[in-house]
Amino acid sequence: MLEEIITLNPDKWIDNYADYLFNYAVVRVNDSDLAKDLVQETFFAGLKSAKNFEGKATERTWLVSILKRKVIDHYRKINSNKGKAEVRMNFYEGGENEGSWIEERVPQSWNNASEKDIENEELKSQLDSCIAKLPEKYAIVFRMKTIQEFETEEICKELDITASNLWVIIHRARTQLRKCMEDNWFNN
């Protein structure tokens, strides 16, 4: 029996895989611009490492594995940057105006819809922080099912898990999120 040798065809990657890789990335990073950048980085990395392609998987599977590493690297980078700059308060920090709003950053009055949109920003920020602390698979499944409202079947197919495994992951993620929120939000 002869094994079919799979060869790379980079000229067709954008046509064949860009949409799939973008959808894959945007689900995991929840930012379309970042997802586009990650797909572009994936294609560049694929071109650089094309000589290492052994043909044991399809092109798409190989590119997805590169993209997975790009996503993981992204989260490692943002989560390990303890010294990343915090957004400075919009106040003067010294002198006679200390504590006053910097004029060009004074909040403008909001209409009611805008106010409702940002009303829970602090809560959302804490929830995002707690989701980021979940194991990667828990965070991905939780976001896909609860936030992005993917169907169970879609998630199971995408992540190659069973429905019962998905619900166990959701339960564990919710339990960890509840504990994190209790420790970091409700007790503050």
Side-chain angles (χ1 to χ4, degrees):
M1 183 170 125
L2 294 173
E3 283 187 33
E4 180 184 344
I5 297 176
I6 299 171
T7 58
L8 294 178
N9 191 358
D11 295 335
K12 300 279 186 186
W13 285 356
I14 292 175
D15 292 336
N16 293 343
Y17 310 119
D19 289 342
Y20 179 84
L21 294 173
F22 171 78
N23 289 331
Y24 182 94
V26 80
V27 164
R28 285 151 182 83
V29 298
N30 202 24
D31 178 333
S32 60
D33 289 334
L34 176 59
K36 289 174 189 174
D37 291 344
L38 291 172
V39 171
Q40 186 175 14
E41 290 176 25
T42 298
F43 288 145
F44 286 136
L47 288 171
K48 279 186 186 176
S49 61
K51 63 185 173 296
N52 299 328
F53 180 74
E54 298 176 358
K56 293 180 180 177
T58 65
E59 270 184 320
R60 185 173 101 168
T61 301
W62 183 68
L63 289 168
V64 168
S65 70
I66 294 171
L67 180 56
K68 282 181 185 178
R69 287 191 298 274
K70 297 290 178 194
V71 170
I72 290 167
D73 289 347
H74 163 73
Y75 281 113
R76 281 187 184 142
K77 180 180 174 187
I78 64 171
N79 288 327
S80 68
N81 265 345
K82 299 287 185 201
K84 64 184 171 206
E86 278 189 88
V87 176
R88 293 273 177 211
M89 294 296 287
N90 293 323
F91 295 105
Y92 288 104
E93 294 182 12
E96 66 183 50
N97 291 327
E98 184 168 4
S100 298
W101 287 98
I102 297 175
E103 190 161 339
E104 61 272 13
R105 295 185 186 168
V106 171
Q108 303 301 307
S109 57
W110 300 308
N111 64 28
N112 204 14
S114 296
E115 191 172 317
K116 287 179 182 175
D117 287 344
I118 63 166
E119 192 173 55
N120 291 316
E121 192 60 38
E122 205 173 304
L123 176 62
K124 181 187 177 302
S125 176
Q126 184 58 56
L127 183 59
D128 287 343
S129 175
C130 288
I131 290 172
K133 293 175 185 174
L134 290 173
E136 180 186 7
K137 192 168 196 173
Y138 289 18
I140 290 169
V141 170
F142 182 82
R143 279 191 188 103
M144 289 176 80
K145 184 66 180 165
T146 308
I147 298 171
Q148 295 159 337
E149 299 178 344
F150 277 72
E151 294 296 323
T152 299
E153 292 171 8
E154 288 179 273
I155 299 169
C156 291
K157 184 178 178 184
E158 175 74 25
L159 300 177
D160 194 27
I161 58 175
T162 65
S164 60
N165 186 244
L166 177 135
W167 291 109
V168 167
I169 291 170
I170 292 289
H171 171 74
R172 290 178 180 168
R174 286 179 178 159
T175 301
Q176 289 182 28
L177 287 172
R178 183 180 66 232
K179 171 98 172 85
C180 180
M181 291 300 289
E182 287 171 354
D183 291 347
N184 298 293
W185 176 255
F186 298 114
N187 292 329
N188 286 337

